[in-house]
């Protein structure tokens, strides 16, 4: 893969909508992002909607953050079987940091498998590599130490072309 000069990379990263391909982490065009038939929304609250989706290999998934707070898309290599060789940790800035406009990231899934992801601000992994919700001081904690539903999701990538 050809490396971009730093100057171009900085310009690309400063765009309001950051688009990334998970297989190799190459930048894709806005046209590829527009091809994303599967969209995961972050509404004006801390959750991914829908939390569970299915796409075919070669398909694009686009996450759109409409919340004023920032979120992230973080994969756990322990559960990631879609062929990504790197830990995915992408920022999804909130509307407050983007002039009131939603932000988005798009990933392309080239190989069948399972992609488990979570927001590192609103989840963390326990010793069994399971996402659990972080707890605020004084929060209500269950017997397992969890403070509620973590902000997480799953992408199942099926064989076949999108």
């Amino acid at each position: 893969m050809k490396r971009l000069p730093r100057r171009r990379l900085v310009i690309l990263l400063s765009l309001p909508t950051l688009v990334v391909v998970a297989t190799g982490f190459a930048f894709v065009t806005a046209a590829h992002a527009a091809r994303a038939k599967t969209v995961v929304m972050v509404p004006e609250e801390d959750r991914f909607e829908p939390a569970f989706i299915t796409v075919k290999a070669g398909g694009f998934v686009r996450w759109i953050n409409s919340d004023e707070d920032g979120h992230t898309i973080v994969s756990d290599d322990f559960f990631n079987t879609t062929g990504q060789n790197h830990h995915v940790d992408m920022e999804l800035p909130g509307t407050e940091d983007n002039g009131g406009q939603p932000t988005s990231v798009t990933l392309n899934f080239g190989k069948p498998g399972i992609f488990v992801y979570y927001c590192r601000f609103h989840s963390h992994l326990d010793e069994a590599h399971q996402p659990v919700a972080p707890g605020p001081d004084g929060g209500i904690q269950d017997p397992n130490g969890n403070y509620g539903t973590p902000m997480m999701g799953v992408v199942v990538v099926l064989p076949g072309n999108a």
Side-chain angles (χ1 to χ4, degrees):
M1 179 166 59
K2 185 178 175 184
R3 301 193 115 210
L4 293 172
R6 285 189 187 270
R7 163 173 75 236
R8 278 193 188 161
L9 187 58
V10 169
I11 290 169
L12 287 172
L13 289 174
S14 66
L15 295 174
T17 302
L18 176 63
V19 182
V20 180
V21 175
T23 54
F25 297 97
F27 289 96
V28 296
T29 65
H32 285 112
R35 283 186 26 201
K37 296 175 185 165
T38 305
V39 174
V40 176
M41 296 296 299
V42 178
E44 295 180 3
E45 54 191 58
D46 298 340
R47 64 186 167 95
F48 294 110
E49 187 179 290
F52 179 86
I53 58 172
T54 303
V55 298
K56 289 187 177 183
F60 292 84
V61 176
R62 184 176 183 192
W63 285 263
I64 300 174
N65 185 8
S66 297
D67 193 6
E68 70 178 31
D69 295 328
H71 298 286
T72 63
I73 308 298
V74 179
S75 73
D76 176 18
D77 294 339
F78 188 81
F79 287 112
N80 183 358
T81 63
T82 58
Q84 284 79 330
N85 296 322
H86 305 285
H87 182 77
V88 176
D89 189 347
M90 300 181 301
E91 298 288 328
L92 195 53
T95 58
E96 187 174 286
D97 296 327
N98 194 39
Q101 298 300 311
T103 58
S104 69
V105 293
T106 300
L107 292 177
N108 175 254
F109 293 92
K111 178 181 170 188
I114 297 174
F115 181 79
V116 176
Y117 65 94
Y118 61 95
C119 174
R120 85 174 121 77
F121 301 137
H122 300 101
S123 304
H124 66 274
L125 298 181
D126 65 13
E127 60 280 347
H129 298 276
Q130 297 293 319
V132 295
D137 291 336
I140 299 172
Q141 192 174 23
D142 72 14
N144 296 321
N146 195 3
Y147 286 88
T149 305
M151 188 174 177
M152 65 163 294
V154 177
V155 177
V156 174
V157 184
L158 301 174
N161 292 336

